[in-house]
Amino acid sequence: MAMSLPSELSYLDFWSLASGENVRPDRLLGAHVVEQGGVPGTRFAVWAPNARMVSVIGDFNGWNPFEHGMHRHELGFWHVFVPGAAHGQQYKFAVTSHAGHTVHKSDPVGKFMELRPNTASVIWAPEAFAWSDDAWLSARQGAGYDRPISVYEVHLASWSRREDGWYLNYREIATRLADYVCEMGFTHVELMGVSEHPFDGSWGYQVTGYYAPTSRHGTPDDFKWMINHLHERGIGVYVDWVPGHFPTDESGLALWDGSALYEYADPRRGFHPDWNTYVFDYGRNEVVTFLIGSALNWIEDYHIDGLRVDAVASMIYLDFSRTEWLPNIYGGRENLEAIAFMKRLNDTVHSLHPGAVMIAEESTAFPGVTSPTPQGLGFDYKWAMGWMNDTLAYFEKNPLYRRYDHGKMTFFNVYRTTEHFMLAISHDEVVHLKKSMVSKMPGDWYQQRAGLRAFLALQWATPGKKLLFQGQEFAQSTEWEYNVGLPWYVTEHIEHRGVQVLVRDLNRLYCAQRALHAGDHHEAGQEWLSANDAEASVFTFLRRDPQGSDWLLVVASLTPVYREGYMIGVPESGRYRVVLDTDAAEYGGFGTRQTDLEAREGQWHGQPAHLRLNLAPNSVLWLVKE
């Protein structure tokens, strides 16, 4: 092997990594364009404590594993300086295990990777990016739980494509997406699958590049340009982040140095049989800081506003989807190391970046997901999976039988203040033969669209922040396909455009009316007026601003029956005004007329006044007092 130069990294540098003190390992490990002894080149460093030998291979040495052997540090890190290795060149690590088997590995902290199916990392040392979103980042620090958050979930590869079917560049996506999101009134986008991943069909949830934006849409600078542009347009950006498991691809983290390094060694804890993936070993300092560093990389280097943490339940429970599992030291089923990791993750993000948002996709009743640490996990929001399951089950049922499941629509109010909830209708609900949202609704095509409009109006009226997956805002009738662009052409027709206009109006009213968002996490934020009319499947409630006098009346009639002069109790007599009617003609409905909106004194439903309304089939009304 040819002579190679050690890097100038010190013992203290490596100790900070091994001890878990350094939460940005990518600033020491990986590939860094530097000068050493006045010679330009690249410093490479990697963690591989159980390897017999590691060398760096790439464009700069003809991919010769005998040219630049790396130097082993006693703490398990390997490092080398390669003169002349430059920005834009490709590289990998040739890792030889103690058994003598050599595998070519991508850089775990690589900042950029070549387009799949190729798996080389790319030396990336761009010029400083000219960010112009200081005002946005400053303003988000003071944002609280009483603000409106309406999230548009986007899969970049299928949201929009070029005419030839190929992917759009991040910069092309940025202008189109910003225009659309602003027009529709969403406050944030959530990006699926932006971490580098080898298999399109994983949707980005089997990650090999935890520090790298996917090259499918351009370079890291292109990705920064997109985020910066969205911020300039007043749009926040969340990304999906997957610290729960990683794929078995040979070029990735799996068995990185020939042994179980990033993953638990025992498959009863370290392997997900359902997903055919490995589980991170949250008991190792280097693994914990690798993951925290990844989170900070997105927030600090790319100005992301928050992370939606995928599959939290699979991290919390040792018996998640397993028949054979190892209990914790107390004999329980909770993964204490994973729980400690999540607490440290959230504490670190919040202490370094006040205003950055951490969202948990957690599907069980584990207590304190959004409670502060150390008692809770420290997330800001939790997806309301119970609300989603109950509400969808109700709406999918034939209206003749909804009376028997009336409680599914009111049960969320029993526990809605136990966590800070986000009401999410995500990609998971419109794939794998679950049908699109409009196709879930019973009845003919008109009734299906009426049912979807009612569902959306109730979602926006129910306490909790909002999330809706792409295509559902215009009643896409087919299931989502990750490799096909959205059928935007259908919005030329009122059946689809009407739903799209409704979502736009829902967002605008939601943001404008404090009663619809300020009380999301307060008991006083919602007051039921009538929750028990199961025979008619009618629900009435108020949304209130706990800090003020604003309130809004919501009336939902969820059978295909027209009800004339239906009487409801209201808190005040006087004139009322409809601010939203899902049966309006502009939304694709029939435009039911209200003949008298004068509330008169006289108790009803325990309220001092009553109001008579004409309720269209499968419709929702929002009203305010004039």
Side-chain angles (χ1 to χ4, degrees):
M1 180 173 288
M3 179 68 68
S4 60
L5 300 172
S7 74
E8 294 181 337
L9 293 174
S10 69
Y11 181 90
L12 287 178
D13 289 328
F14 291 122
W15 181 87
S16 74
L17 296 169
S19 66
E21 179 183 277
N22 188 334
V23 292
R24 284 303 303 265
D26 56 308
R27 293 182 175 170
L28 294 177
L29 301 179
H32 296 268
V33 176
V34 296
E35 284 192 4
Q36 187 165 310
V39 177
T42 298
R43 182 191 75 218
F44 296 91
V46 72
W47 178 49
N50 301 308
R52 177 191 292 181
M53 183 175 68
V54 183
S55 61
V56 63
I57 56 177
D59 295 337
F60 41 80
N61 62 13
W63 300 87
N64 180 0
F66 303 105
E67 183 72 19
H68 293 108
M70 301 183 75
H71 297 259
R72 190 185 191 282
H73 188 272
E74 62 186 272
L75 293 176
F77 299 90
W78 299 73
H79 59 116
V80 69
F81 174 75
V82 178
H87 168 76
Q89 291 185 313
Q90 297 176 0
Y91 69 99
K92 282 189 174 184
F93 295 106
V95 183
T96 303
S97 70
H98 273 287
H101 181 58
T102 299
V103 176
H104 294 175
K105 291 284 193 178
S106 306
D107 186 350
V109 299
K111 298 295 185 174
F112 190 36
M113 294 177 69
E114 62 177 334
L115 182 64
R116 57 93 182 94
N118 298 322
T119 57
S121 301
V122 179
I123 300 172
W124 197 255
E127 296 180 4
F129 184 80
W131 291 98
S132 57
D133 63 348
D134 288 351
W136 171 269
L137 297 180
S138 177
R140 82 179 186 190
Q141 294 187 34
Y145 288 115
D146 62 347
R147 62 173 165 160
I149 295 180
S150 179
V151 184
Y152 184 52
E153 187 187 24
V154 177
H155 179 257
L156 294 179
S158 61
W159 183 75
S160 184
R161 294 203 175 200
R162 295 176 181 165
E163 290 183 2
D164 61 5
W166 190 243
Y167 301 129
L168 294 173
N169 181 275
Y170 288 120
R171 296 174 190 249
E172 295 173 308
I173 293 170
T175 53
R176 297 187 191 188
L177 185 59
D179 288 346
Y180 185 68
V181 169
C182 287
E183 170 63 23
M184 292 297 294
F186 289 99
T187 63
H188 293 71
V189 295
E190 180 178 312
L191 305 178
M192 293 172 57
V194 293
S195 299
E196 193 58 85
H197 53 285
F199 177 46
D200 292 3
S202 77
W203 314 334
Y205 294 109
Q206 296 201 8
V207 176
T208 51
Y210 274 83
Y211 290 73
T214 178
S215 57
R216 290 166 174 81
H217 306 286
T219 69
D221 279 359
D222 294 331
F223 184 74
K224 290 177 181 178
W225 197 95
M226 179 179 71
I227 304 305
N228 190 65
H229 183 75
L230 289 167
H231 283 172
E232 287 183 326
R233 299 289 299 275
I235 302 163
V237 184
Y238 302 145
V239 300
D240 284 358
W241 187 62
V242 191
H245 61 117
F246 58 91
T248 59
D249 295 59
E250 186 178 66
S251 64
L253 298 177
L255 302 172
W256 206 90
D257 63 358
S259 67
L261 187 63
Y262 287 89
E263 64 270 40
Y264 286 112
D266 193 313
R268 290 173 293 177
R269 185 169 291 184
F271 186 75
H272 270 311
D274 284 357
W275 301 335
N276 192 36
T277 53
Y278 287 121
V279 180
F280 283 104
D281 182 348
Y282 307 103
R284 303 194 73 158
N285 288 333
E286 297 89 346
V287 173
V288 167
T289 53
F290 168 81
L291 290 170
I292 292 177
S294 169
L296 294 176
N297 168 70
W298 295 107
I299 293 169
E300 293 176 350
D301 296 5
Y302 293 103
H303 290 203
I304 295 299
D305 298 293
L307 304 175
R308 198 278 293 183
V309 181
D310 182 67
V312 168
S314 76
M315 300 165 66
I316 291 175
Y317 296 108
L318 295 166
D319 62 346
F320 181 89
S321 195
R322 293 187 180 90
T323 54
E324 292 186 61
W325 55 282
L326 296 176
N328 63 36
I329 58 174
Y330 303 110
R333 59 194 286 253
E334 296 80 15
N335 188 331
L336 304 179
E337 295 169 342
I339 290 170
F341 156 69
M342 284 185 275
K343 291 181 179 184
R344 183 182 177 190
L345 165 71
N346 289 322
D347 282 347
T348 303
V349 168
H350 290 139
S351 64
L352 294 177
H353 301 283
V357 170
M358 301 296 287
I359 305 164
E361 184 211 17
E362 203 285 307
S363 56
T364 73
F366 187 84
V369 173
T370 59
S371 296
T373 63
Q375 289 77 19
L377 295 184
F379 286 95
D380 296 287
Y381 296 101
K382 169 182 172 174
W383 275 13
M385 309 296 279
W387 165 85
M388 179 271 295
N389 285 320
D390 286 346
T391 309
L392 284 180
Y394 179 90
F395 269 85
E396 288 179 288
K397 191 172 288 292
N398 186 314
L400 286 173
Y401 305 109
R402 284 178 177 172
R403 69 186 73 179
Y404 305 116
D405 279 335
H406 196 76
K408 287 187 181 295
M409 295 295 290
T410 59
F411 183 59
F412 180 58
N413 201 55
V414 174
Y415 65 89
R416 65 175 178 81
T417 59
T418 59
E419 303 277 7
H420 298 141
F421 283 111
M422 179 173 286
L423 311 184
I425 296 298
S426 75
H427 62 277
D428 277 330
E429 312 318 317
V430 294
V431 291
H432 301 323
L433 302 181
K434 294 179 183 178
K435 298 188 282 191
S436 68
M437 282 296 294
V438 71
S439 298
K440 293 178 190 288
M441 305 297 158
D444 60 25
W445 178 226
Y446 178 83
Q447 290 172 325
Q448 286 181 315
R449 288 183 289 117
L452 176 60
R453 295 194 302 266
F455 179 97
L456 292 168
L458 273 177
Q459 180 183 1
W460 260 252
T462 299
K465 307 312 178 187
K466 322 301 177 190
L467 180 142
L468 187 65
F469 181 57
Q470 64 180 39
Q472 309 318 300
E473 82 278 10
F474 59 76
Q476 179 179 352
S477 56
T478 56
E479 283 192 340
W480 170 58
E481 296 182 71
Y482 70 88
N483 56 352
V484 178
L486 290 183
W488 290 104
Y489 62 88
V490 302
T491 59
E492 298 172 5
H493 306 286
I494 184 60
E495 304 102 287
H496 298 277
R497 187 174 67 254
V499 177
Q500 188 181 43
V501 172
L502 170 68
V503 173
R504 181 200 67 188
D505 290 352
L506 288 172
N507 276 326
R508 292 178 178 178
L509 285 166
Y510 166 69
C511 292
Q513 299 273 348
R514 275 188 56 84
L516 285 169
H517 59 257
D520 278 341
H521 312 300
H522 298 269
E523 286 288 351
Q526 180 182 17
E527 177 187 342
W528 283 100
L529 300 178
S530 175
N532 300 314
D533 190 356
E535 279 300 309
S537 296
V538 174
F539 305 83
T540 61
F541 59 89
L542 298 177
R543 288 300 311 275
R544 291 187 180 276
D545 174 9
Q547 308 304 321
S549 58
D550 293 345
W551 54 269
L552 181 139
L553 172 64
V554 180
V555 183
S557 180
L558 303 181
T559 59
V561 176
Y562 176 77
R563 301 185 187 280
E564 185 173 7
Y566 186 90
M567 193 156 72
I568 63 171
V570 292
E572 297 179 20
S573 59
R575 293 290 301 174
Y576 281 70
R577 174 169 57 90
V578 174
V579 295
L580 184 128
D581 179 359
T582 63
D583 191 52
E586 61 263 38
Y587 305 145
F590 286 124
T592 302
R593 280 196 329 113
Q594 304 298 331
T595 55
D596 182 11
L597 287 178
E598 181 80 26
R600 294 169 172 78
E601 293 183 359
Q603 284 201 359
W604 193 260
H605 292 152
Q607 299 295 317
H610 60 270
L611 178 67
R612 292 185 181 274
L613 296 169
N614 297 330
L615 304 181
N618 285 314
S619 67
V620 174
L621 293 171
W622 291 3
L623 303 96
V624 295
K625 188 172 183 298
E626 291 187 339

